[in-house]
Amino acid sequence: MASTVPQIVAFYGYIQVLVPVANGTEPMEAVITIDILRRAGAVVTVASVEKQLCVNMHNGLDIVADSLISDCANTIFDLIALPGGLPGGAATLRDCAILESMVKRQDAEGRLYAAICAAPALALGSWGLLKDKKVMTIYLVRQIHRSDEKLGFCQATCYPYFTDQLCAATADESRVVRDGNVVTSRGPGTTMEFSMALVEQLFGKEKAIELSKALALPSNHEDEFSIAETNPINWTSDTCPKILLPIANGIEAMEAIMMIDVLRWAEAETFVVSIEDTLEVKSSQNVILVADMLLDDALTKHSYDLIVLPGKNATTFPKTCNAFLDSGELANRVLIDGCLITGTGLGTSLEFSLAIVRKLLGPKKVLELAKALFFLRPLGFHEFV
C-alpha cells in the first residue's frame, strides 16, 4: 500500500461519508465500502446520481439509495468515495455535474476523496483531480487545525485497462495508493483493503486493525491460503448451474453481494430470493437490497444445484463456533465437505465465492475470474484451484 504523506485522521464529531451510485456501478465496490465504513462508525449516505433512488447495478443487482445526489449538493462530507463499474457506472459518475462540483470542492478544501477501479481514471482523471498540484494534508486534533502543503505529482492507481487515462498522475501498481487527500485502488478484489485504508484515514490505524480482526480479514492480502476439502465429490455438470441465494432483513450485505457478484461474473444462473414479504431487504448495516423474487415463487419455478446451508464439519465466524458439534475444522477460512461449503466470516467471502466457482465450473474459470476481479494470485493459489 503506497503512501507519500501522513494519513488524514479526524478525532472528533460525526464522520460524514458520501458514496454515489449509478446504473452499472460495481456492487462489490459500492456495498463493501458502505458496509465497512458504517461498521467503523461513519454516517454514510448512499446517493443515486440517477433520477430515482433504486439503482440497477452491474450484474443485475438492485439497491435502494438513501437520497438523490441533488439533495446532497450542499452537505459537507469528510470523505467522498467513488465506486467503479462498466458499462455506465464510473462513466455516469463522471458525467454528473453535481458530483463533479462536490468532489472538486472536496479537493480545494483539503478533504478526503477516493475512487476505485475505473473511477480514478474516468472520473478523477477527467476532472483534473490527479494532475500535478498542491496536496494538502489536514490534521484534526482536539479541534486544533494545522495544514501542510507540498507540490508534486499525485500518485494513483486504477484498474489496469484504464492506466493510460490517469491524466498526468504517476501510475502506481499497488493495490491501494494514498497520496495526500486522495485514495485510489484497483478493482473489486481490492475493495476490502481500499475500505480499510479509508477507515484508517478517518479513524486511525488502531480502529482499522480492530475492525479487520472483527471481520476475519487476512492480515496480509497476499498471504498464502488454501481451501480445505474433506469427502470430495464432483459438483460439475454439463448445464449452467442454478443457484438459490436467499436474503432476509439483517443479512450481512457484504457476504451476499460478493457471492451474487462473483457467481454472476462466472455466468452461473443466480437467483436472489427474499424470504420476507417484500422484495426489498435491509441488511445489518442498512443497505437495502432488492431481490429477484419471493421465496414461494422461487420454489415453484425452479430447482437448484446449490443452496448454502450450515451443517456438518464446518468452519464459521468464531463467535458462533459453539453452535457446531465438531469444531476440529474451525481453523480453516473456507472448508468444503462433500456437497457443503462454509466460510469463517465476512473477510473470507471472496475466497468462499471463488471456491464455489471452482467446484461448479472448474479451476480455469476461477483463474479467469480472479484475474478479472483483480483478486491477485497468492503464493498458495495453486492449492486453491
Side-chain angles (χ1 to χ4, degrees):
M1 188 181 296
S3 179
T4 59
V5 296
Q7 67 187 32
I8 301 170
V9 182
F11 288 97
Y12 64 90
Y14 291 103
I15 302 299
Q16 296 280 345
V17 176
L18 177 73
V19 178
V21 292
N23 293 333
T25 288
E26 166 52 49
M28 277 199 279
E29 293 167 0
V31 173
I32 292 172
T33 303
I34 296 162
D35 194 293
I36 286 179
L37 287 169
R38 282 179 174 168
R39 289 173 191 273
V43 177
V44 181
T45 300
V46 183
S48 168
V49 303
E50 307 290 347
K51 295 180 180 179
Q52 68 286 331
L53 291 178
C54 188
V55 171
N56 181 241
M57 306 184 101
H58 181 71
N59 279 334
L61 182 71
D62 288 355
I63 73 165
V64 180
D66 303 316
S67 63
L68 299 177
I69 192 68
S70 56
D71 297 327
C72 304
N74 297 319
T75 304
I76 301 299
F77 292 97
D78 299 281
L79 163 67
I80 299 177
L82 278 58
L86 292 170
T92 303
L93 298 185
R94 174 198 63 200
D95 296 337
C96 176
I98 294 174
L99 180 62
E100 178 181 357
S101 176
M102 292 175 69
V103 180
K104 284 183 174 179
R105 183 178 66 181
Q106 196 82 356
D107 175 62
E109 296 176 358
R111 291 190 299 275
L112 189 65
Y113 58 100
I116 187 169
C117 196
L122 294 189
L124 300 185
S126 68
W127 294 338
L129 294 177
L130 297 178
K131 291 182 178 179
D132 186 23
K133 62 185 180 68
K134 287 184 178 181
V135 178
M136 180 177 290
T137 304
I138 297 182
Y139 303 86
L140 305 177
V141 183
R142 296 179 184 176
Q143 302 187 21
I144 298 174
H145 297 242
R146 187 182 91 248
S147 64
D148 297 333
E149 291 185 348
K150 72 181 184 70
L151 182 64
F153 291 98
C154 180
Q155 287 186 293
T157 192
C158 65
Y159 197 79
Y161 181 81
F162 298 99
T163 299
D164 61 350
Q165 299 180 51
L166 282 174
C167 300
T170 302
D172 193 304
E173 294 185 357
S174 300
R175 290 168 67 81
V176 181
V177 174
R178 300 193 301 258
D179 190 344
N181 56 339
V182 188
V183 180
T184 52
S185 190
R186 308 213 77 177
T190 67
T191 309
M192 285 189 282
E193 297 148 85
F194 172 70
S195 302
M196 283 302 170
L198 298 178
V199 170
E200 183 174 336
Q201 292 278 286
L202 292 169
F203 295 96
K205 189 171 184 178
E206 289 186 6
K207 183 66 175 181
I209 293 172
E210 174 191 332
L211 191 54
S212 293
K213 289 180 179 178
L215 297 178
L217 298 182
S219 57
N220 184 339
H221 287 262
E222 296 188 38
D223 279 347
E224 290 190 31
F225 68 84
S226 61
I227 303 299
E229 183 167 8
T230 61
N231 305 316
I233 62 172
N234 181 29
W235 289 20
T236 59
S237 67
D238 296 330
T239 60
C240 179
K242 287 184 171 64
I243 300 172
L244 175 69
L245 202 155
I247 60 175
N249 291 329
I251 63 161
E252 298 297 353
M254 280 199 291
E255 289 181 346
I257 289 295
M258 279 187 264
M259 289 186 64
I260 296 164
D261 203 17
V262 167
L263 292 171
R264 286 181 173 172
W265 271 106
E267 300 179 346
E269 197 170 359
T270 307
F271 299 86
V272 182
V273 176
S274 169
I275 65 172
E276 305 292 345
D277 294 330
T278 65
L279 293 178
E280 290 189 6
V281 167
K282 183 177 288 189
S283 79
S284 65
Q285 299 303 314
N286 296 320
V287 177
I288 301 176
L289 309 179
V290 183
D292 302 321
M293 62 184 77
L294 299 177
L295 182 60
D296 286 346
D297 293 333
L299 295 179
T300 56
K301 291 181 179 179
H302 302 284
S303 59
Y304 302 94
D305 298 289
L306 174 66
I307 301 174
V308 178
L309 294 171
K312 56 184 178 179
N313 281 356
T315 185
T316 183
F317 190 68
K319 287 186 178 180
T320 61
C321 65
N322 59 358
F324 291 83
L325 296 178
D326 184 353
S327 59
E329 305 293 347
L330 291 173
N332 298 303
R333 289 175 62 79
V334 177
L335 174 67
I336 304 169
D337 181 4
C339 60
L340 173 69
I341 179 169
T342 52
T344 302
L346 293 166
T348 67
S349 299
L350 190 50
E351 298 154 61
F352 175 81
S353 304
L354 289 171
I356 292 174
V357 173
R358 187 195 82 175
K359 290 297 292 183
L360 290 174
L361 299 168
K364 182 178 179 181
K365 176 61 74 172
V366 172
L367 288 173
E368 292 173 358
L369 191 56
K371 182 178 180 181
L373 297 177
F374 219 82
F375 182 73
L376 286 185
R377 182 172 180 169
L379 297 175
F381 202 71
H382 63 282
E383 299 178 13
F384 177 73
V385 299

